[in-house]
């Protein structure tokens, strides 16, 4: 795919959704960090249902610690892998209190050192909470980037590096949200809605589906 096509795709996505936002509900960098950590192999809808009950009770690192590990488990038990996620979030809170003054660090290395936080989660937090031009690649973005041939790669890191290279600066802060929403609602895994896709004429997917 050439540069001109990529810019047109990004322009259309921006025109359609000028101020994209994550579908995870949060009101602070800490709430976002917890929500993204809980969202691994889970839906945003499922995470939001749990955090709507959790955050009014405990929405700071110390608040989670005061809740206790068992108390935390009770609030997130509807989310897949809740036992390991509870352990990670609890340990994360201990580190935030002990090493970071209960604040979420605006630093990739410090974020990735937290339990349960990998490159993707760190990228989401840096981008969404702090406005960094980082691009977190999940399964939706990986699929859309490869299927459209916008930024092809054999794994998420390769796609991330390609996106960083080919996405112009003016689009970088929001491209993560545009691509994830496009993959979640239009360019879906089993049956993409090609017929109602606003970038269908620019997409280089060979097996387009009428819809």
């Amino acid at each position: 795919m050439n540069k001109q096509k990529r810019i047109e795709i990004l322009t259309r996505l921006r025109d359609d959704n000028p101020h994209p936002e994550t579908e995870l509900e949060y009101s602070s960098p800490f709430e976002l960090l917890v929500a993204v950590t809980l969202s691994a192999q889970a839906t945003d809808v499922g995470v939001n249902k749990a955090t709507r009950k959790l955050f009014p009770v405990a929405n700071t690192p110390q608040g989670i610690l005061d809740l206790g590990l068992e108390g935390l488990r009770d609030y997130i038990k509807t989310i897949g892998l809740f036992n390991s996620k509870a352990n990670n979030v609890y340990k994360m809170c201990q580190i935030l209190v002990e090493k970071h003054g209960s604040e979420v660090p605006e630093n990739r290395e410090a974020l990735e050192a937290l339990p349960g936080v990998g490159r993707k989660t760190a990228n989401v937090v840096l981008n969404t909470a702090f406005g960094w031009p980082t691009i977190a690649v999940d399964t939706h973005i990986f699929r859309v980037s490869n299927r459209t041939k916008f930024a092809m790669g054999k794994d998420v890191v390769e796609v991330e590096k390609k996106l960083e290279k080919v996405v112009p600066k003016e689009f970088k802060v929001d491209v993560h949200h545009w691509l994830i929403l496009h993959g979640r609602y239009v360019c879906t895994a089993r049956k993409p809605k090609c017929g109602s896709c606003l970038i269908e004429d620019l997409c280089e997917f060979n097996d387009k589906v009428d819809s």
Side-chain angles (χ1 to χ4, degrees):
M1 180 173 287
N2 62 39
K3 180 179 179 180
Q4 185 179 354
K5 266 192 184 180
R6 289 192 181 99
I7 290 175
E8 180 60 25
I9 285 172
L10 293 169
T11 300
R12 288 188 193 179
L13 292 174
R14 180 176 62 187
D15 290 347
D16 184 61
N17 187 2
H19 306 290
E21 297 179 350
T22 178
E23 293 186 319
L24 289 170
E25 296 170 1
Y26 73 99
S27 61
S28 70
F30 176 71
E31 287 187 3
L32 178 67
L33 175 61
V34 171
V36 177
T37 302
L38 296 178
S39 72
Q41 295 178 288
T43 65
D44 288 0
V45 172
V47 171
N48 288 338
K49 283 182 180 177
T51 57
R52 280 175 201 153
K53 296 177 181 178
L54 171 64
F55 289 156
V57 176
N59 69 341
T60 64
Q62 190 59 55
I64 297 286
L65 296 179
D66 291 344
L67 199 59
L69 184 55
E70 288 303 319
L72 176 59
R73 282 196 186 115
D74 284 342
Y75 278 100
I76 67 169
K77 62 188 177 184
T78 55
I79 300 173
L81 307 173
F82 74 93
N83 274 317
S84 61
K85 289 178 181 179
N87 288 333
N88 283 335
V89 170
Y90 194 80
K91 290 174 185 174
M92 172 200 299
C93 290
Q94 290 177 319
I95 294 171
L96 290 174
V97 169
E98 292 167 6
K99 294 187 177 180
H100 301 289
S102 295
E103 298 292 328
V104 175
E106 190 178 342
N107 176 284
R108 177 187 296 283
E109 188 177 349
L111 283 169
E112 290 188 19
L114 296 171
V117 178
R119 183 178 183 86
K120 185 186 82 173
T121 297
N123 276 341
V124 172
V125 172
L126 290 171
N127 174 269
T128 305
F130 299 115
W132 285 31
T134 51
I135 304 173
V137 177
D138 70 347
T139 54
H140 294 299
I141 295 174
F142 181 78
R143 180 178 66 255
V144 171
S145 296
N146 276 290
R147 183 185 273 167
T148 62
K149 297 183 171 56
F150 187 97
M152 300 178 73
K154 64 181 185 296
D155 56 43
V156 292
V157 174
E158 194 170 308
V159 169
E160 179 189 333
K161 289 179 178 177
K162 186 70 180 288
L163 286 168
E164 287 177 349
K165 182 179 178 181
V166 301
V167 174
K169 185 178 179 180
E170 65 178 296
F171 298 106
K172 272 191 176 164
V173 170
D174 291 324
V175 69
H176 159 80
H177 295 301
W178 289 324
L179 293 180
I180 197 171
L181 292 170
H182 193 69
R184 187 173 287 165
Y185 296 111
V186 181
C187 196
T188 50
R190 293 186 180 178
K191 191 177 180 183
K193 300 175 178 66
C194 300
S196 55
C197 174
L198 58 81
I199 61 168
E200 182 188 9
D201 57 315
L202 301 167
C203 168
E204 296 182 5
F205 181 43
N206 293 324
D207 302 308
K208 288 179 182 162
V209 179
D210 290 331
S211 58

